[in-house]
Amino acid sequence: MMKLEISGLSFSYGERQVLEDISFGVAEGEFVSLLGPSGCGKSTVLKLLTGILSPDRGRILVDGEEIRGLSSHFAYMPQNDLLFPWKTILDNVCLYGRIHGSLEEMRERAREYFPVFGLEGYEDSYPASLSGGMRQRAAFLRTALCSADILLLDEPFGALDVITRGEMQDWLLAMRKELGKTVVLVTHDMDEAIYLSDRILILNTAPAGIHGEISVCETQRDRDWLYGQGELRREIHGRIMGKERKGNAAL
Amino acid sequence: MKQTSERLMPAFFILGLLVLWEGAVRIFGIPLYVLPSPVQVAETLVQELPVLALHARVTVAEALAGVAISLVLALALGVLMDCFPMIRQGLYPVLVVTQTVPMIVLAPIFIIYMGFGAAPKILTVVLMCFFPVAVSFSDGLSQVDAEYVHLVRSYGAGQWKTYCLVKIPAAVPALLSGLKVAATYSISGAVVGEWIGSQEGLGYYLLRVKNGYMLDKVFACVAVIIFLSLCMNGLIRLYQYLGMPYLRKQR
């Protein structure tokens, strides 16, 4: 059984149809990317999963059970770090505990993670005094501390410069194993999708449908490996442009 | 260097004006009942300080009560208007209209309704202070980034927690800028209320000495009103500095 299963999901903003008949599944512990050009409705998929929006049609299943509205299975991380400027980093990352009345307990747990997330010594700082990469790591820690088993990352590094983004991707790759959570990443960055994910689902422009999927082989992932993936890039680009046939491929 | 000179500029300017004023009064021999000189005002101020302090206590108490009531009302109404757009649409224009009615007309009416005690003065303060506080708070609430709201909602926060965790804290800086304006007005509001009818307070003192053509005392009293108004403004700034360390300039 799939951890997450989505079938026939459709959504429109008023007259404008954004998603049409989206179906896919994600296995337990898998890292899946939704890749597509800006404005194709990738983020809308995540908003439907978190329950911020509700679909016109279609079903969302987690562990075989249908989800409607807000669900504690999902932890959502938006593109902007959305740290509260009036809260310290420690209190920011403990947002979930604050909402669910387990603040003290979560503070203890969060403190243990600060060194791993490269935030040691910044527990009592305010977000404005942190660099973009650190803020993003704090936002990621906040997401990871949710009791959710599926992380939904919406272009988490989109607002960072190229160098910091690269560092954060390496770091996320390393963190993945430690957290052991199922991840759905939304991105428009082909390299990011290839580098981070097990499987890439390609969406093209609205109303978005899935234009096939691509499995990425499990190898020693590093930057050199990434730059050797020319064929994969061409394949993905072809599918985004809609020139290639629909279907699945493993490269 | 530049900063110090910028800070000293207003002081030099005011000092220059005072010297000019003093010189004009001496050279042209302007009598006290037309225009007292700054030195005369200062002397009177020192002499009258015990009496002024007694009256000031009454005025400050009325002003503080008025600001406090305004704050509570503005908070409640701000949240209500934000929750229910109907209330906002209906009430906002009414709020604006209340500000166009001259206070000097309303104050005597309040005395007819409420007698000569502190109540009509406090109400005058409330009418002057409520508007800037309510409008700035309500605007602050409506400008909160929807993404923040989505985030805490996706973490499972209900309506009430969303207000406590995101909306109200995010609107506090706007609220404080309204409160700064209101606090500065509050002393003048109380003075207007007292001027119309009372047995104590700076407004009452002002009316008495004006009727006696003791212009040095009038000016001394005005100096006290200016000082107190600045203090009220300073009080809010102090709260902002101490209560919101994240707003201080970072490093």
Side-chain angles (χ1 to χ4, degrees), chain B:
Chain B
M1 267 313 274
K2 200 185 162 201
Q3 260 196 338
T4 8
S5 71
E6 265 175 22
R7 279 190 185 178
L8 286 176
M9 265 329 256
F12 279 133
F13 191 71
I14 292 168
L15 202 70
L17 276 179
L18 288 176
V19 169
L20 218 67
W21 176 0
E22 181 75 34
V25 171
R26 282 177 193 233
I27 290 164
F28 301 113
I30 301 172
L32 182 72
Y33 59 84
V34 175
L35 184 69
S37 80
V39 172
Q40 282 172 323
V41 173
E43 280 169 4
T44 312
L45 183 62
V46 173
Q47 256 173 38
E48 286 285 293
L49 212 53
V51 183
L52 279 168
L54 232 72
H55 287 292
R57 268 210 346 238
V58 177
T59 308
V60 168
E62 289 162 358
L64 284 175
V67 172
I69 293 172
S70 304
L71 180 61
V72 173
L73 279 178
L75 284 174
L77 208 68
V79 172
L80 264 178
M81 290 205 296
D82 193 69
C83 263
F84 306 103
M86 291 270 281
I87 295 184
R88 185 189 175 87
Q89 284 155 13
L91 212 59
Y92 205 95
V94 178
L95 281 182
V96 176
V97 170
T98 61
Q99 286 308 292
T100 61
V101 182
M103 220 33 76
I104 206 80
V105 175
L106 287 181
I109 299 175
F110 294 156
I111 288 172
I112 295 171
Y113 295 157
M114 305 169 95
F116 288 90
K121 286 95 189 176
I122 294 174
L123 190 59
T124 314
V125 178
V126 170
L127 267 182
M128 278 177 93
C129 295
F130 172 69
F131 183 74
V133 183
V135 166
S136 56
F137 182 56
S138 142
D139 287 351
L141 281 178
S142 66
Q143 279 159 15
V144 174
D145 189 346
E147 288 279 319
Y148 278 104
V149 177
H150 288 164
L151 181 79
V152 293
R153 303 282 284 178
S154 80
Y155 277 28
Q159 182 91 327
W160 175 241
K161 277 199 170 144
T162 307
Y163 271 98
C164 292
L165 282 171
V166 189
K167 287 204 139 188
I168 294 175
V172 163
L175 172 72
L176 281 181
S177 55
L179 210 52
K180 266 185 241 168
V181 175
T184 317
Y185 283 170
S186 64
I187 299 285
S188 302
V191 167
V192 169
E194 290 163 354
W195 183 280
I196 304 300
S198 67
Q199 270 82 54
E200 51 184 355
L202 289 175
Y204 165 72
Y205 176 91
L206 208 52
L207 187 67
R208 249 188 36 200
V209 294
K210 185 218 68 164
N211 287 342
Y213 290 96
M214 295 178 269
L215 251 63
D216 52 341
K217 289 184 181 172
V218 171
F219 276 72
C221 186
V222 169
V224 170
I225 291 171
I226 293 173
F227 173 73
L228 289 175
S229 296
L230 291 178
C231 280
M232 294 292 274
N233 184 290
L235 212 63
I236 306 294
R237 281 174 195 272
L238 187 71
Y239 171 74
Q240 192 169 21
Y241 183 79
L242 296 177
M244 271 159 287
Y246 63 93
L247 285 180
R248 289 179 215 165
K249 282 217 172 98
Q250 303 279 346
R251 278 185 288 176

Side-chain angles (χ1 to χ4, degrees), chain A residues 141-187:
Chain A
L141 177 54
R142 178 179 62 190
T143 316
L145 283 172
C146 291
S147 63
D149 35 15
I150 303 170
L151 304 187
L152 306 173
L153 312 180
D154 190 354
E155 301 194 24
F157 313 130
L160 301 176
D161 64 273
V162 178
I163 296 164
T164 316
R165 194 187 307 163
E167 283 172 4
M168 291 296 296
Q169 287 164 350
D170 290 340
W171 174 83
L172 179 59
L173 212 52
M175 282 305 296
R176 230 197 99 177
K177 294 188 179 76
E178 193 153 330
L179 291 170
K181 292 192 175 180
T182 308
V183 183
V184 178
L185 170 81
V186 156
T187 182

Side-chain angles (χ1 to χ4, degrees), chain A residues 175-226:
Chain A
M175 282 305 296
R176 230 197 99 177
K177 294 188 179 76
E178 193 153 330
L179 291 170
K181 292 192 175 180
T182 308
V183 183
V184 178
L185 170 81
V186 156
T187 182
H188 56 219
D189 182 340
M190 219 188 278
D191 286 345
E192 185 167 272
I194 298 171
Y195 192 44
L196 294 175
S197 37
D198 302 320
R199 206 147 49 90
I200 301 169
L201 303 173
I202 294 162
L203 276 84
N204 57 5
T205 37
I210 293 192
H211 242 232
E213 58 177 68
I214 288 170
S215 304
V216 182
C217 63
E218 191 54 56
T219 40
Q220 189 61 45
R221 286 164 200 248
D222 54 36
R223 293 276 152 193
D224 289 337
W225 170 84
L226 176 65

Side-chain angles (χ1 to χ4, degrees), chain A residues 72-97:
Chain A
S72 56
H73 282 292
F74 300 111
Y76 172 60
M77 178 172 170
Q79 178 169 5
N80 298 321
D81 54 62
L82 295 184
L83 296 173
F84 298 146
W86 57 87
K87 281 188 187 290
T88 61
I89 296 300
L90 183 62
D91 282 348
N92 258 299
V93 302
C94 294
L95 180 65
Y96 189 85

